[in-house]
Amino acid sequence: MTTPLVHTTRLTAAYRRYLQSANSCRFAHEVDESYTSATLLSLLSRGVVEQRRAAALALGMLGDRRCVDALGRAISDSDRGVRLVADDSFRAVLVRDAAPLHHQQLLRVMHLNDGGEYAAALSPALILIDQAPTYAEAHHQLAICWHGLEDFAHAERAYQSCLWHCRFHYLAWQSLAKIRYLNGNLEKALHALDYCVDINPDLETARMQRRQIRRRMRQSDV
């Protein structure tokens, strides 16, 4: 009965030192010495607020694909601090969820997409997915390519592929809703946004989209 208490105390102490120093390497090292991923996942779901925040932060630094769903669920935690940290950690784990070479390829595609160079990003995104077909964020970035090129049919399929590999990818749900809205499928767009907001209740842009669709649906019923 004493071991969880010792572990909790060490995690809390390491987290408080991190908040004071912002030394992420030290925090990761201290946690890695004392905790397994299973223990951190347990604390993320059942610990008190400070423990949940610390566990979410640690999993973002030390976790792998096995913690993605738990971090996805924590994005809707009752505590806003946990939600913010879990969101950052969730996205960090998604991006690095591949071999180092594939990770570097993804960063290149992301850079091109961020710059609006969708045509240039398309070929490396397709190659990356061929090499790493279960890489959820690669499917998301491919969807962004197609979306930017206004090929909505391919974009929708790519967003769906991303969600097949990671059902908590709320940005894919939100973008899928945009595609469905543009195609005039308002009910399915609203359904996608409901999933998005359930996962990330703090995403105000999704809430605004949902209100817009509901207004349009009411107007069409008049």
Side-chain angles (χ1 to χ4, degrees), residues 1-35:
M1 296 297 291
T2 59
T3 301
L5 180 61
V6 172
H7 281 180
T8 299
T9 301
R10 288 177 181 172
L11 179 63
T12 301
Y15 180 62
R16 291 174 181 173
R17 283 191 291 271
Y18 168 79
L19 293 179
Q20 292 176 346
S21 67
N23 189 331
S24 57
C25 291
R26 178 183 177 185
F27 174 76
H29 176 72
E30 290 178 345
V31 174
D32 195 33
E33 281 193 324
S34 302
Y35 294 88

Side-chain angles (χ1 to χ4, degrees), residues 59-139:
L59 288 167
M61 298 176 183
L62 303 169
D64 55 26
R65 67 174 59 192
R66 291 170 294 183
C67 70
V68 167
D69 283 3
L71 287 169
R73 284 189 288 270
I75 298 173
S76 61
D77 191 274
S78 59
D79 175 71
R80 179 171 172 78
V82 175
R83 296 198 300 271
L84 292 173
V85 177
D87 186 14
D88 287 342
S89 293
F90 172 79
R91 289 184 283 116
V93 174
L94 278 183
V95 168
R96 68 167 187 261
D97 181 28
L101 175 61
H102 297 149
H103 180 206
Q104 291 303 313
Q105 290 172 320
L106 178 74
L107 293 179
R108 180 188 171 204
V109 172
M110 292 175 69
H111 177 73
L112 292 169
N113 277 338
D114 288 344
E117 300 181 58
Y118 305 115
L122 183 59
S123 179
L126 288 167
I127 292 170
L128 175 57
I129 287 173
D130 184 60
Q131 295 173 344
T134 64
Y135 199 176
E137 187 57 32
H139 288 278

Side-chain angles (χ1 to χ4, degrees), residues 34-212:
S34 302
Y35 294 88
T36 64
S37 292
T39 303
L40 292 172
L41 288 169
S42 177
L43 289 171
L44 177 63
S45 63
R46 293 193 288 271
V48 298
V49 168
E50 193 173 29
Q51 294 167 358
R52 298 201 306 275
R53 291 180 182 180
L57 179 65
L59 288 167
M61 298 176 183
L62 303 169
D64 55 26
R65 67 174 59 192
R66 291 170 294 183
C67 70
V68 167
D69 283 3
L71 287 169
R73 284 189 288 270
I75 298 173
S76 61
D77 191 274
S78 59
D79 175 71
R80 179 171 172 78
V82 175
R83 296 198 300 271
L84 292 173
V85 177
D87 186 14
D88 287 342
S89 293
F90 172 79
R91 289 184 283 116
V93 174
L94 278 183
V95 168
R96 68 167 187 261
D97 181 28
L101 175 61
H102 297 149
H103 180 206
Q104 291 303 313
Q105 290 172 320
L106 178 74
L107 293 179
R108 180 188 171 204
V109 172
M110 292 175 69
H111 177 73
L112 292 169
N113 277 338
D114 288 344
E117 300 181 58
Y118 305 115
L122 183 59
S123 179
L126 288 167
I127 292 170
L128 175 57
I129 287 173
D130 184 60
Q131 295 173 344
T134 64
Y135 199 176
E137 187 57 32
H139 288 278
H140 182 231
Q141 292 300 319
L142 175 62
I144 292 173
C145 293
W146 288 124
H147 200 157
L149 294 170
E150 299 186 355
D151 188 331
F152 299 140
H154 277 99
E156 181 169 6
R157 286 196 290 272
Y159 285 128
Q160 289 172 331
S161 294
C162 170
L163 291 165
W164 175 260
H165 294 292
C166 179
R167 63 192 178 96
F168 289 99
H169 202 306
Y170 60 86
L171 291 177
W173 281 116
Q174 184 181 26
S175 296
L176 179 61
K178 291 178 183 177
I179 295 290
R180 290 174 171 176
Y181 180 82
L182 290 170
N183 289 333
N185 198 332
L186 302 187
E187 288 189 5
K188 284 191 174 182
L190 193 60
H191 183 67
L193 287 171
D194 286 341
Y195 275 110
C196 176
V197 173
D198 283 346
I199 296 166
N200 187 347
D202 296 322
L203 195 61
E204 185 57 31
T205 54
R207 293 184 179 276
M208 291 174 61
Q209 286 174 263
R210 197 164 60 170
R211 289 194 292 269
Q212 179 186 16

